[in-house]
Amino acid sequence: MVGSVGTIALAAAVASIATASPAPPRPKVGTFSVPQVKNPGFKPHGPAQLARTYMKYGAKLPDGLARIMADLKVFRRDSGSAKATPEQYDIQYLTPVSIGTPAQELNLDFDSGSSDLWVFSTEMPAGSVNGQAQYDPSKSSSAEEVDGATWNISYGDGSASSGVVYKDVVTVGGVSFKSQAVEAATEVSEQFQSDTNNDGLLGLAFSTINTVQPTQEKTFFDNIAPNLDTAAWTADLKYHEAGTYDFGVIDKSKYTGDITYTDVDSSQGFWTFTSSGYGVGNTSFKSSAFEGIADTGTTLAMLPTTVVTAYYRQVSGAKEDPQQGGYVFPCDASLPDFVFGVESAKFTIPGQYINYAPIDDSTCFGGIQSDEGIGFSIWGDVALKAAFVVFDASEGSPRLGFAKKNL
């Protein structure tokens, strides 16, 4: 029931709206570019990356892989542009992000396979921090805690990262959003504790899978998209060198030929698309459609078992090693290129990209592995750095674009 006091208040509000100056529109930021940064000192380990992928998507580790991981204990995990720097052997691309007032800089993993912006924070126990930079909300005049809000990300090994939520200024590539949800960790799983160069994740999947409760939060991209010249971002990742993420612009200098676009199924919160087939080396292209996600936060390419078997059948000395959890081969083996299809276009992953990392002096771990047990294929950095990739939300329904580039 609205009483007389409410009626008076409503009339006053209407009057104030009529006389007040309209709020200025939020300025367009247009475009920006973010360079990746060098992430030194990481010891590469193929089985660890395979295990990280299983855990990220809640899949059970195969017995052999679980044993080697337990033994080694090597679990790790407008227009503008941000520069991405690979950890050794392209384990992970990290990108500088500023949070708070004054700005606190952290190196984050730009991850198109998740939707949380979470960071190491001063609210964690000291024993859980191993050299990572920590966000300190008490030192930011713009930080405001979101009452009752929590977040929790569970992994396939039963571990979790979780914490509380603040709204604060987040700046990427010189462009800021003043009220971005920053998920401050109070607990971090062991795989991230041992990853000394990585201060957290900036999720770039769809906001529908953000884990904040009781009310989900938007990703940084979803928040800034209305103010970009084009509601899209691009990944130009490189082999053993820093690449860039661009927002709001599709930079023609970074690719050759035309961009081939394909529809995205975002119903599960990921950038899911259907590949039109594959080829190995000089063999004929096989038109065999299969679904997968474009995931900048995963290192390896996880593909259907039949595809992976067909690839390693062409590699002399290659074998599936249960103790390592995947395919291995002599480090001096000649690896064929791998071709994947997007609509009618074809893109080539050079064989050298697929020689991911040595296991010992003579045996190397493959950058393409089976997606068995995960439920879908994953086009990780091994594949994505072989193309210029557009994550486009400007057309009403999302789509991915792939273009060739100078490798």
Side-chain angles (χ1 to χ4, degrees):
M1 183 177 72
V2 179
S4 58
V5 174
T7 304
I8 294 169
L10 178 61
V14 171
S16 69
I17 291 171
T19 57
S21 299
R26 183 181 296 165
K28 292 278 285 185
V29 296
T31 66
F32 65 98
S33 182
V34 196
Q36 295 179 317
V37 296
K38 184 170 179 59
N39 192 351
F42 179 77
K43 290 194 72 167
H45 196 276
Q49 286 310 304
L50 188 59
R52 176 191 281 270
T53 306
Y54 274 100
M55 290 190 294
K56 178 177 180 178
Y57 292 102
K60 182 179 182 295
L61 296 184
D63 290 344
L65 185 59
R67 281 195 297 271
I68 192 172
M69 291 296 96
D71 290 343
L72 295 178
K73 295 181 178 166
V74 284
F75 286 107
R76 295 189 358 93
R77 189 53 195 97
D78 314 307
S79 181
S81 184
K83 194 160 185 181
T85 297
E87 296 193 45
Q88 193 178 6
Y89 295 96
D90 292 332
I91 272 297
Q92 192 174 52
Y93 292 82
L94 301 180
T95 305
V97 173
S98 296
I99 304 176
T101 309
Q104 303 172 39
E105 186 170 292
L106 290 84
N107 285 330
L108 304 184
D109 181 6
F110 277 33
D111 181 12
S112 63
S114 67
S115 300
D116 291 77
L117 194 170
W118 74 260
V119 294
F120 277 72
S121 81
T122 52
E123 305 203 11
M124 295 172 55
S128 298
V129 181
N130 187 26
Q132 294 88 355
Q134 296 169 269
Y135 167 59
D136 186 347
S138 71
K139 292 184 178 178
S140 172
S141 61
S142 49
E144 294 184 8
E145 187 168 4
V146 180
D147 289 343
T150 59
W151 62 278
N152 185 297
I153 303 173
S154 298
Y155 302 100
D157 65 341
S159 65
S161 298
S162 59
V164 295
V165 183
Y166 289 85
K167 291 291 184 75
D168 208 341
V169 179
V170 170
T171 302
V172 177
V175 172
S176 301
F177 189 78
K178 292 185 177 180
S179 188
Q180 176 64 44
V182 178
E183 300 167 35
T186 56
E187 174 189 17
V188 169
S189 69
E190 184 180 346
Q191 59 167 316
F192 287 103
Q193 291 177 31
S194 59
D195 190 350
T196 60
N197 297 313
N198 184 359
D199 307 325
L201 300 183
L202 188 149
L204 289 166
F206 295 91
S207 295
T208 52
I209 57 172
N210 176 267
T211 71
V212 173
Q213 297 291 333
T215 304
Q216 286 180 310
E217 296 286 353
K218 288 185 178 182
T219 65
F220 178 78
F221 174 67
D222 279 354
N223 279 326
I224 64 168
N227 303 306
L228 298 174
D229 285 352
T230 299
W233 60 276
T234 66
D236 182 20
L237 305 182
K238 304 289 188 180
Y239 178 68
H240 289 177
E241 64 177 285
T244 53
Y245 294 105
D246 291 345
F247 291 78
V249 63
I250 298 171
D251 187 341
K252 292 183 178 180
S253 71
K254 294 181 178 179
Y255 65 92
T256 61
D258 296 325
I259 299 174
T260 298
Y261 286 97
T262 189
D263 291 340
V264 163
D265 176 0
S266 61
S267 61
Q268 300 301 311
F270 301 119
W271 292 89
T272 304
F273 71 102
T274 299
S275 171
S276 56
Y278 70 95
V280 179
N282 295 322
T283 64
S284 60
F285 185 84
K286 185 174 179 59
S287 297
S288 176
F290 59 95
E291 211 172 54
I293 71 172
D295 183 2
T296 61
T298 290
T299 297
L300 307 176
M302 308 289 289
L303 304 179
T305 299
T306 53
V307 176
V308 177
T309 301
Y311 179 80
Y312 288 109
R313 193 179 292 134
Q314 304 297 320
V315 179
S316 178
K319 65 178 182 179
E320 189 172 13
D321 185 342
Q323 290 187 326
Q324 302 298 333
Y327 275 91
V328 300
F329 45 82
C331 290
D332 60 0
S334 177
L335 269 62
D337 296 341
F338 181 86
V339 178
F340 65 95
V342 178
E343 301 294 340
S344 61
K346 297 178 178 66
F347 299 90
T348 299
I349 305 172
Q352 63 177 343
Y353 289 19
I354 301 168
N355 188 338
Y356 171 63
I359 291 172
D360 55 36
D361 291 340
S362 61
T363 305
C364 283
F365 194 83
I368 291 176
Q369 298 292 344
S370 171
D371 63 8
E372 186 175 356
I374 295 175
F376 48 84
S377 296
I378 302 170
W379 298 95
D381 291 347
V382 162
L384 298 180
K385 64 193 171 191
F388 177 81
V389 187
V390 182
F391 296 76
D392 188 359
S394 67
E395 298 295 316
S397 58
R399 60 182 187 165
L400 279 167
F402 289 82
K404 295 179 181 178
K405 65 183 181 182
N406 296 320
L407 300 178

